[in-house]
């Protein structure tokens, strides 16, 4: 660095003056000594000069080549620097030479530091791009389900035309989007696997086998990166749907078994302590599939146990159905008897029991029908209550009426005897009650007609239409009243005849004296036959064909009519009239109380 630089031309002259001149002098001395002619000498000098020119020319050419190379290097350096600026999108760089001056080497030396800085920045940027693009490719491969992806950064080739921060930011945004999508997919996978575990626990199956069957990487014990591809998500979704379908099917089966158990328990009056064992089954009857999450609540073992219990109870049911049916039959008959309604016939019940024993009729349907019949009977009994109360009053009054008629025919009713005063008081009460019968019957007829119009069927009392009974009673009562009226009118005729006979007796004493020979009219009972004695004799001679007097004939007809009415009243409660449509009602088990 401290030496003095000698110009290139001066150094060349010096070389010529020293080395070349010395050599020429030495060559001249050799030629002089040898005696070389002048031509040869000139020729050699020309050759030497030509050779020197060639050497200089080669040197110049080499210098030109070297200069051109330096120019190219400088141009390449500037071009590379400019390219790096554009590639990295750098607008300004600290230490960048604005204007370059000096020799080519000086210019190269001045641009070299900035170029090295740009190259370092490029390498760093390339590393950033490779890292981001590597993550993008890795996550994309995971989303695509490519388990064979090689995550080596050397395989990632970033885009060589754009390494700007803007482009890097775009890749980073894309990476963030993919990371979010990965997180969402992982969350979906976790949700699906969680649902599978829950459903498998409810159904009593091994969840790990189901998850591994979908994909081995989903099993946490595998240690593999979870596959989050679309196909895996679809498989997980279909697996969950399949498990949910199995859950619904099992729940429906258990609900059917639970209902069957409940019906059988209710039919056979099973005690509560015997129902506790299957309370977990009956508790599912009102629940939906979404409400059930208890582990082991829908296992195949529970379904099998419940099915076995239903079959066992079915076998027991056949032996107890007859007892239950007879119990309900007795209940139905008691309701009918209390309300004097139609009772299902015994042959029908025996036929139903035969069907039960043969299995040709469903026990549950039969008992449900019996319950329906009992309910209908109770409802009809309630609707008949008001009428039945009036009917009982009417029957009681009618009994009192018959007693009063018999009491009125007793000739000794006014005699002084034990209990006669009680009969007198009862007769007074009976007359008051009998006087109310017409109004009571009219009210009963009106209520019965209203009931029949509402129900569209006849009101039957002990298998006899009530309206027929009431109308028969009115008819008989009318006949009795008419008969009494005729008897009162006929009583007047014998009295008038007796008055005439008494007048004849006065006019013809001789004839009268012959008839009452043996005593006077006002004599004692041993001297004359009183009128009631004659009637008693007439009754005793009821079977004879000889009628001596008109009074005797009237009396006999009167007694026969009374006996006829008494028999009619006695049997009217159980008599059917063939001409009455309401009497044609036929009882049947399927609906004796249906309107």
């Amino acid at each position: 660095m401290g030496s003095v630089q000698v110009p290139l031309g001066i150094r060349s002259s010096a070389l010529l003056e020293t080395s070349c001149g010395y050599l020429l002098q030495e060559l001249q001395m050799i030629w002089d000594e040898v005696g070389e002619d002048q031509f040869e000498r000139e020729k050699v000098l020309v050759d030497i000069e030509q050779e020197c020119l060639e050497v200089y020319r080669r040197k110049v050419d080499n210098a030109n080549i070297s200069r051109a190379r330096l120019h190219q290097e400088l141009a390449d350096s500037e071009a590379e620097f400019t390219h790096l600026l554009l590639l990295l999108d750098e607008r300004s760089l600290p230490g960048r030479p604005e204007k370059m001056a000096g020799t080519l080497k000086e210019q190269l030396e001045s641009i070299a530091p900035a170029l090295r800085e740009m190259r370092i920045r490029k390498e760093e940027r390339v590393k950033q791009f490779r890292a981001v693009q590597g993550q993008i490719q890795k996550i994309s491969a995971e989303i695509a389900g490519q388990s064979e992806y090689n995550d080596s950064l050397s395989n990632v080739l970033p885009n060589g035309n754009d390494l700007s921060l803007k482009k890097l930011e775009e890749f980073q945004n894309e990476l963030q989007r993919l990371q979010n999508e990965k997180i969402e997919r992982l969350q979906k996978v976790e949700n699906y696997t969680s649902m599978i575990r829950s459903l498998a626990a409810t159904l009593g199956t091994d969840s790990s086998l189901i998850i591994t069957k979908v994909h081995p990487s989903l099993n946490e014990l595998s240690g593999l990166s979870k596959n989050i591809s679309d196909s895996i998500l679809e498989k997980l979704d279909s697996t969950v749907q399949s498990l949910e379908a199995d859950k619904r099917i099992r729940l429906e089966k258990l609900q059917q078994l639970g209902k069957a158990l409940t019906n059988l328990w209710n039919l056979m009056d099973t005690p509560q302590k015997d129902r506790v064992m299957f309370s977990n089954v009956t508790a599912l009857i009102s629940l939906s599939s979404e409400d059930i999450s208890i582990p082991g609540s829908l296992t195949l073992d529970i379904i099998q146990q419940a099915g076995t219990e239903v079959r066992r109870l079915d076998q027991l049911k056949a032996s107890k159905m007859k007892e239950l049916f007879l119990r309900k039959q007795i209940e139905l008959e008691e309701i009918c008897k209390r309300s004097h309604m139609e009772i299902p016939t015994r042959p029908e019940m025996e036929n139903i029991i035969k069907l039960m024993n043969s299995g040709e009729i469903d026990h549950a349907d039969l008992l449900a029908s019996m319950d329906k019949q009992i309910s209908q009977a109770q409802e009809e009994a309630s609707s008949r209550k008001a009428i039945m109360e009036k009917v009982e009053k009417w029957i009681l009054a009618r009994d009192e009426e018959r007693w009063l008629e018999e009491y009125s025919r007793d000739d000794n009713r006014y005699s002084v005897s034990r209990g006669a005063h009680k009969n007198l008081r009862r007769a007074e009460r009976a007359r008051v009650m009998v006087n109310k019968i017409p109004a009571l019957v009219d009210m009963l007829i009106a209520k019965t007609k209203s009931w029949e119009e509402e129900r569209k069927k006849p009101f039957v009392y002990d298998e006899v239409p009530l309206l027929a009974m009431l109308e028969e009673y009115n008819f008989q009562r009318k006949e009795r009243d008419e008969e009494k009226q005729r008897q009162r009118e006929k009583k007047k005729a014998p009295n008038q005849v007796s008055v005439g006979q008494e007048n004849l007796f006065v006019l013809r004493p001789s004839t009268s004296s012959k008839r009452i020979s043996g005593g006077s009219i006002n004599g004692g009972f041993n001297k004359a036959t009183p009128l009631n004695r004659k009637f008693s004799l007439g009754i005793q001679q009821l079977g004879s064909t000889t009628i001596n007097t008109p009074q005797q004939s009237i009396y006999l007809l009167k007694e026969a009519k009374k006996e006829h009415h008494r028999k009619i009243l006695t049997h009217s409660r159980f008599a059917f009239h063939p001409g009455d449509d309401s009497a044609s009602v036929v009882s049947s088990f399927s609906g004796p109380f249906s309107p």
Side-chain angles (χ1 to χ4, degrees), residues 388-573:
M388 291 301 301
E389 291 176 353
K390 302 295 182 183
V391 169
E392 297 300 330
K393 290 182 179 179
W394 171 58
I395 293 174
L396 180 61
R398 195 177 60 178
D399 293 339
E400 290 298 310
E401 183 182 30
R402 285 196 295 268
W403 179 87
L404 184 60
E405 288 180 356
E406 294 176 358
Y407 178 75
S408 299
R409 288 193 297 269
D410 188 5
D411 295 335
N412 297 323
R413 62 184 180 276
Y414 298 117
S415 64
V416 178
S417 61
R418 184 183 298 274
H421 64 288
K422 295 182 179 179
N423 289 333
L424 288 173
R425 286 197 296 270
R426 179 179 177 182
E428 290 298 325
R429 292 194 299 270
R431 289 187 185 94
V432 173
M433 188 178 296
V434 169
N435 290 334
K436 296 180 180 179
I437 288 180
L440 180 60
V441 171
D442 293 341
M443 183 184 301
L444 267 175
I445 291 175
K447 286 183 174 292
T448 304
K449 288 182 177 180
S450 175
W451 188 93
E452 291 182 350
E453 290 177 357
E454 180 182 353
R455 296 274 173 160
K456 306 298 182 184
K457 67 178 183 177
F459 189 102
V460 179
Y461 182 91
D462 288 340
E463 301 183 358
V464 180
L466 181 58
L467 282 179
M469 295 171 60
L470 295 172
E471 291 172 357
E472 176 68 16
Y473 174 79
N474 282 338
F475 176 75
Q476 293 175 358
R477 185 180 180 89
K478 183 178 179 182
E479 283 189 344
R480 289 198 304 272
D481 292 341
E482 291 176 353
E483 181 64 23
K484 289 179 181 179
Q485 182 65 26
R486 287 194 297 269
Q487 289 176 2
R488 283 194 293 269
E489 292 176 354
K490 289 179 181 181
K491 281 182 181 180
K492 296 179 182 180
N495 290 335
Q496 292 175 358
V497 172
S498 298
V499 172
Q501 289 179 353
E502 289 177 358
N503 292 334
L504 291 174
F505 177 77
V506 174
L507 294 175
R508 292 182 293 174
S510 60
T511 304
S512 299
S513 61
K514 292 180 181 179
R515 290 183 179 182
I516 58 175
S517 60
S520 63
I521 296 176
N522 297 326
F525 287 104
N526 57 348
K527 295 182 179 181
T529 302
L531 184 61
N532 59 355
R533 177 62 178 168
K534 294 179 179 180
F535 289 160
S536 299
L537 293 173
I539 294 172
Q540 293 174 1
Q541 299 171 357
L542 183 61
S544 66
T545 58
T546 303
I547 300 176
N548 299 323
T549 63
Q551 293 86 348
Q552 185 178 2
S553 177
I554 292 170
Y555 179 77
L556 292 176
L557 289 173
K558 175 181 177 182
E559 289 299 320
K561 190 70 174 178
K562 285 184 178 180
E563 181 66 21
H564 175 68
H565 285 306
R566 186 158 52 249
K567 289 180 179 179
I568 290 176
L569 288 174
T570 302
H571 300 285
S572 64
R573 289 178 58 184

Side-chain angles (χ1 to χ4, degrees), residues 116-377:
R116 285 194 298 271
E117 180 67 21
M118 292 301 295
R119 288 172 178 171
I120 294 172
R121 291 195 177 193
K122 176 186 176 182
E123 291 298 327
E124 292 177 353
R125 190 70 55 83
V126 168
K127 290 180 181 180
Q128 292 177 350
F129 270 87
R130 284 181 175 177
V132 173
Q133 289 180 323
Q135 290 295 321
I136 290 174
Q137 292 182 6
K138 179 181 178 181
I139 295 175
S140 298
E142 291 177 355
I143 293 175
Q146 298 175 359
S147 58
E148 66 279 2
Y149 169 73
N150 187 359
D151 58 354
S152 176
L153 293 179
S154 60
N155 295 331
V156 180
L157 298 175
N159 187 359
N161 296 326
D162 191 355
L163 297 178
S164 64
L165 293 175
K166 182 178 180 181
K167 190 66 176 180
L168 179 62
E169 185 177 0
E170 291 178 1
F171 281 111
Q172 289 174 344
N173 292 335
E174 176 67 12
L175 176 61
Q176 185 65 40
R177 185 189 67 78
L178 292 173
Q179 288 175 343
N180 293 336
E181 183 178 354
K182 179 181 178 180
I183 292 173
E184 291 177 0
R185 288 174 176 263
L186 287 172
Q187 186 65 37
K188 287 182 179 180
V189 170
E190 183 63 27
N191 291 338
Y192 280 128
T193 54
S194 178
M195 293 171 66
I196 291 174
R197 293 189 188 96
S198 177
L199 291 169
T202 303
L203 299 176
T205 56
D206 190 356
S207 60
S208 62
L209 293 178
I210 298 174
I211 294 174
T212 303
K213 186 177 180 180
V214 175
H215 197 273
S217 65
L218 302 180
N219 194 332
E220 295 180 353
L221 300 178
S222 66
L224 301 175
S225 178
K226 292 183 178 180
N227 191 314
I228 56 175
S229 63
D230 291 338
S231 60
I232 295 299
L233 292 178
E234 291 176 359
K235 288 182 180 180
L236 288 172
D237 184 69
S238 62
T239 302
V240 170
Q241 291 180 1
S242 177
L243 291 174
E244 288 179 345
D246 291 342
K247 181 180 179 182
R248 288 192 296 270
I249 293 172
R250 293 191 186 185
L251 176 60
E252 291 175 359
K253 181 64 176 177
L254 281 176
Q255 286 177 339
Q256 293 175 358
L257 293 173
K259 291 178 181 178
L261 285 174
T262 303
N263 293 334
L264 291 170
W265 289 338
N266 294 335
L267 287 175
M268 295 185 289
D269 294 331
T270 304
Q272 190 64 33
K273 62 180 181 179
D274 295 337
R275 305 184 184 190
V276 174
M277 183 181 298
F278 293 94
S279 59
N280 58 332
V281 177
T282 56
L284 302 175
I285 294 176
S286 60
L287 298 180
S288 62
S289 179
E290 292 76 12
D291 299 331
I292 300 174
S293 59
I294 301 175
S297 58
L298 300 178
T299 62
L300 293 175
D301 291 339
I302 293 178
I303 295 176
Q304 183 178 2
Q305 293 172 4
T308 303
E309 180 67 10
V310 169
R311 289 189 293 272
R312 186 184 71 84
L313 292 177
D314 276 332
Q315 295 175 357
L316 292 177
K317 179 180 69 174
S319 61
K320 291 190 177 182
M321 283 303 100
K322 183 177 180 180
E323 177 185 350
L324 291 172
F325 176 77
L326 293 176
R327 188 186 307 170
K328 291 183 181 294
Q329 177 188 352
I330 293 172
E331 181 182 357
L332 178 61
E333 291 178 353
E334 289 297 327
I335 295 173
C336 294
K337 287 179 181 179
R338 286 196 300 268
S339 297
H340 298 272
M341 295 187 298
E342 182 182 4
I343 301 175
T345 61
R346 182 64 60 181
E348 290 176 348
M349 297 300 175
E350 293 177 354
N351 185 37
I352 291 170
I353 292 175
K354 290 180 181 179
L355 293 176
M356 290 173 57
N357 295 333
S358 63
E360 296 179 7
I361 187 171
D362 186 75
H363 301 98
D365 293 342
L366 176 61
L367 294 181
S369 177
M370 286 295 294
D371 290 335
K372 183 178 180 181
Q373 292 295 316
I374 291 172
S375 176
Q376 290 177 351

